[in-house]
DNA sequence: CCACTAATGAAACTGGAGTCCCGTTATGAG
DNA sequence: CTCATAACGGGACTCCAGTTTCATTAGTGG
């Protein structure tokens, strides 16, 4: 181990030969993990079961992801890459309503809603998962922030309005209801979230 | 087992002799469970460890609470009973700011914040825990709803404003930030939550 | 104060989640 | 096409969370 000593000891499995089977295994495991999270939540999840359902060796799952938290973190990275297109309506309220409806629809969908619940729960336990979750929302919020900046340019909102905070304000009541109530996330909730945020932003609360 | 057949088969342990030792055991276990939840989160929690730290027999914990979810549900019932006094300032914005600061202070406190995170995470896994969590928030929201009703009576808000929804709107951004971001919950966040809600409510969004 | 039994606690037991080892497969470079 | 080896898969092994059993302790009604 003279000159050619092992300097790649820190490499995780899957980084040197990411093509072919490795990629197929990752896709199968992540999809199965998503299904399992949506079904049973994050607490009743064990990697052995994931491996069985994904037709993948148990050792492979443990070697590459190690723990449930690590697997969820990777799932979040995967979810962050799948970006949804933003619709532009020309007015602040229209854009915020579009955003609210997108979020509401996602959370109201049985599978997606359960998945988001599970992912948020997982993030409260593990630091790496939390970091992945925060990055996920930073990305999603940044995608929609431009519509607030446009509204400022149009004169709909005061100068200095924080675009990120406005977008977060739309999602907040929807997530709050998802997590702390059993009331359904109907369309009215989305509309209310958008209108409340628009009213507050116009009043200069986020400046 | 003729006339005196066992009709109390459905009774849980602790319901027939709830005084003395039984009460002490419950208090010790719930306190320890709160500590453990705040420390390690809800996933790394096992009842055997709780029993050890609470100086209580392992079988007792398993017999009375059964699972982690059941224990958290009982903890939530206990938390719901400890009601905090509501301050009245005479104006809607003042009351909402007081509420926001109360919630913000609780969530910003390291132990309490971690505990609430853990409890919310636990509720995503188990139906009974979720029900207990929903009841907890219903109680807390109901305690503050009167200040909105007073504002309507004073003419600060339009008739037909939903008091519950207004109170929830104050908490929502604080919880959203707690769960999806690593930014600190500073006082400005509380003030912004109260002001945004007041502006939206005045605009008639919650009517 | 006594008797009855609800509730607790110690210890032995069990099943399966997570680890380890090693032979097999197939990726990617030359 | 060929070879070195990254990555996978099966199976044996370990360890501890959760269960069961039973003797002991202490509430509660009389």
């Amino acid at each position: 181990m003279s000159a050619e000593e092992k300097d790649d000891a820190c490499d995780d499995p899957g980084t040197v030969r990411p093509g072919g089977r490795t990629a197929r295994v990752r896709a199968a495991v992540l999809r199965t993990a998503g299904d399992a999270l949506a079904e049973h939540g994050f607490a009743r999840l064990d990697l052995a079961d994931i491996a069985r359902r994904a037709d993948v060796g148990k050792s492979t799952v443990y070697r590459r992801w190690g723990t449930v938290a690590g697997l969820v973190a990777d799932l979040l990275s995967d979810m962050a890459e799948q970006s949804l297109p933003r619709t532009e309506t020309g007015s602040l309220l229209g854009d915020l309503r579009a955003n609210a409806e997108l979020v509401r629809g996602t959370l109201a969908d049985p599978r997606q809603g359960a998945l988001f619940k599970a992912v948020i729960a997982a993030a409260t336990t593990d630091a790496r998962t939390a970091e992945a979750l925060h990055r996920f929302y930073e990305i999603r919020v940044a995608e929609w922030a431009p519509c607030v900046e446009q509204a400022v340019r149009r004169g709909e909102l005061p100068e200095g309005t924080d675009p990120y905070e406005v977008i977060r304000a739309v999602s907040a009541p929807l997530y709050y209801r998802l997590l702390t109530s059993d009331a359904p996330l109907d369309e009215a909730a989305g509309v209310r979230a958008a209108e409340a945020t628009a009213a507050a932003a116009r009043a200069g609360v986020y400046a």
Side-chain angles (χ1 to χ4, degrees), chain A:
Chain A
M1 61 177 81
S2 54
E4 48 181 358
E5 63 183 7
K6 297 190 171 185
D7 57 331
D8 53 317
C10 57
D11 276 355
D12 291 320
T15 55
V16 179
R17 286 181 184 173
R21 181 162 69 166
T22 297
R24 282 197 301 278
V25 165
R26 178 168 186 253
V29 168
L30 290 188
R31 186 164 35 78
T32 307
D35 292 343
L37 276 179
E39 279 176 38
H40 310 300
F42 126 92
R44 304 205 178 170
L45 206 64
D46 72 296
L47 302 190
D49 184 56
I50 298 279
R52 226 172 296 136
R53 289 170 58 174
D55 272 315
V56 163
K58 190 171 66 162
S59 2
T60 300
V61 176
Y62 279 105
R63 198 184 307 117
R64 287 191 59 182
W65 291 281
T67 65
V68 172
L71 177 57
V72 175
D74 194 29
L75 179 64
L76 273 165
S77 304
D78 192 62
M79 288 169 65
E81 285 167 12
Q82 299 162 10
S83 142
L84 297 175
R86 171 166 63 98
T87 52
E88 300 198 18
T89 65
S91 76
L92 174 71
L93 185 56
D95 288 351
L96 294 188
R97 282 178 73 155
N99 180 28
E101 179 54 26
L102 181 67
V103 172
R104 186 204 68 80
T106 303
L107 299 185
D109 175 71
R111 185 183 185 283
Q112 295 266 301
L115 178 58
F116 271 82
K117 271 190 193 177
V119 154
I120 290 170
T124 65
T125 289
D126 178 75
R128 272 178 315 161
T129 311
E131 199 186 340
L133 185 75
H134 298 161
R135 201 176 307 129
F136 173 82
Y137 281 107
E138 271 177 26
I139 292 172
R140 287 297 165 96
V141 169
E143 282 172 357
W144 282 84
C147 81
V148 178
E149 290 161 3
Q150 288 170 7
V152 172
R153 254 178 262 127
R154 281 194 303 260
E156 279 196 79
L157 294 180
E159 289 285 335
T161 296
D162 182 351
Y164 283 63
E165 201 59 27
V166 173
I167 298 302
R168 288 198 200 97
V170 175
S171 287
L174 301 173
Y175 276 87
Y176 185 73
R177 181 184 279 217
L178 175 75
L179 292 168
T180 69
S181 147
D182 53 358
L185 273 166
D186 51 10
E187 290 192 24
V191 173
R192 217 182 301 126
E195 288 179 349
T197 303
R202 281 194 214 101
V205 173
Y206 303 111

